[in-house]
């Protein structure tokens, strides 16, 4: 691994940049995610930064079951995150649609449309579980980056 690759790997593991999108959640999971930014949890001190644009993020954090109205926004946000990227589904809705399953306005679960790297179960999950899920995704992202960069290396 070159010095630059080593630095990139460390930065991806230790300072994940996240973008949050609500795909039709009841807001319960969103409140828990925002709680992670509050002084009590203060995830910025752990290196996690919430970005205002998916173009500036490495990890997409998605709450909710995916509704007809939000599907396009989810797909657009996913497309805008640069490779390598990772996806975290926060809350049980992203995995199973949870209490919204069967609704005519719900088209999830999330993995019908995009690959999900980490599921954080719970309705809603505790902030500690969300932070843990983001760091799991950061490790997956960093390892993915190493593999993709190795593929781009000229063969000796
Ligand atoms: S998992 Fe529970 S708290 Fe989270 S969006 Fe779904 S219903 Fe709301």
């Amino acid at each position: 691994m070159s010095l630059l690759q080593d630095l990139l790997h460390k930065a991806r593991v230790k300072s994940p940049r996240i973008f949050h999108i609500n795909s039709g959640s009841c807001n319960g999971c969103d409140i828990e995610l925002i709680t992670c930014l509050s002084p009590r949890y203060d995830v910025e001190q752990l290196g996690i930064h919430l970005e205002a644009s998916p173009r500036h993020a490495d990890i997409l954090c998605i709450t909710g079951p995916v509704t007809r109205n939000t599907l396009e926004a989810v797909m657009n946000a996913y497309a805008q995150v640069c490779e390598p990227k990772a996806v975290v589904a926060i809350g049980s809705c992203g995995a199973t649609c949870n209490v919204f399953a069967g609704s005519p306005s719900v088209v999830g679960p999330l993995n019908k449309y995009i690959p999900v790297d980490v599921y954080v179960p719970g309705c809603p999950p505790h902030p500690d579980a969300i932070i843990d899920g983001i760091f799991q995704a950061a490790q997956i992202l960093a390892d993915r980056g190493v593999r993709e960069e190795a593929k781009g290396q000229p063969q000796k």
Side-chain angles (χ1 to χ4, degrees):
M1 197 186 294
S2 71
L3 183 61
L4 178 62
Q5 287 169 332
D6 189 38
L7 276 172
L8 275 171
H9 186 268
K10 282 191 180 127
R12 285 174 178 141
V13 172
K14 292 184 181 290
S15 186
R17 322 301 277 200
I18 65 169
F19 180 77
H20 167 229
I21 184 161
N22 176 330
S23 70
S25 95
C26 73
N27 284 342
C29 287
D30 310 77
I31 289 167
E32 297 303 321
L33 178 59
I34 297 307
T35 301
C36 296
L37 299 163
S38 69
R40 175 163 183 163
Y41 291 94
D42 201 4
V43 289
E44 289 212 349
Q45 290 214 36
L46 302 175
I48 298 173
H49 293 267
L50 181 66
E51 297 291 350
S53 162
R55 291 175 196 271
H56 302 159
D58 300 307
I59 298 173
L60 202 53
C61 293
I62 305 179
T63 54
V66 188
T67 60
R68 281 184 206 290
N69 284 350
T70 60
L71 178 58
E72 189 179 348
V74 169
M75 300 305 288
N76 281 342
Y78 180 74
Q80 287 179 54
V81 179
C82 291
E83 296 285 354
K85 56 189 160 192
V87 174
V88 182
I90 297 176
S92 302
C93 280
T96 64
C97 298
N98 198 7
V99 291
F100 300 112
S103 163
S105 60
V106 168
V107 295
L110 187 57
N111 69 358
K112 276 168 73 177
Y113 305 100
I114 59 175
V116 178
D117 296 290
V118 178
Y119 288 98
V120 183
C123 182
H126 191 276
D128 285 335
I130 295 174
I131 295 168
D132 191 48
I134 291 170
F135 276 114
Q136 282 180 47
Q139 186 64 58
I140 291 168
L141 171 80
D143 294 344
R144 189 169 287 154
V146 169
R147 281 197 301 276
E148 289 185 9
E149 281 144 16
K151 270 192 229 160
Q153 294 286 319
Q155 298 295 313
K156 292 186 181 167

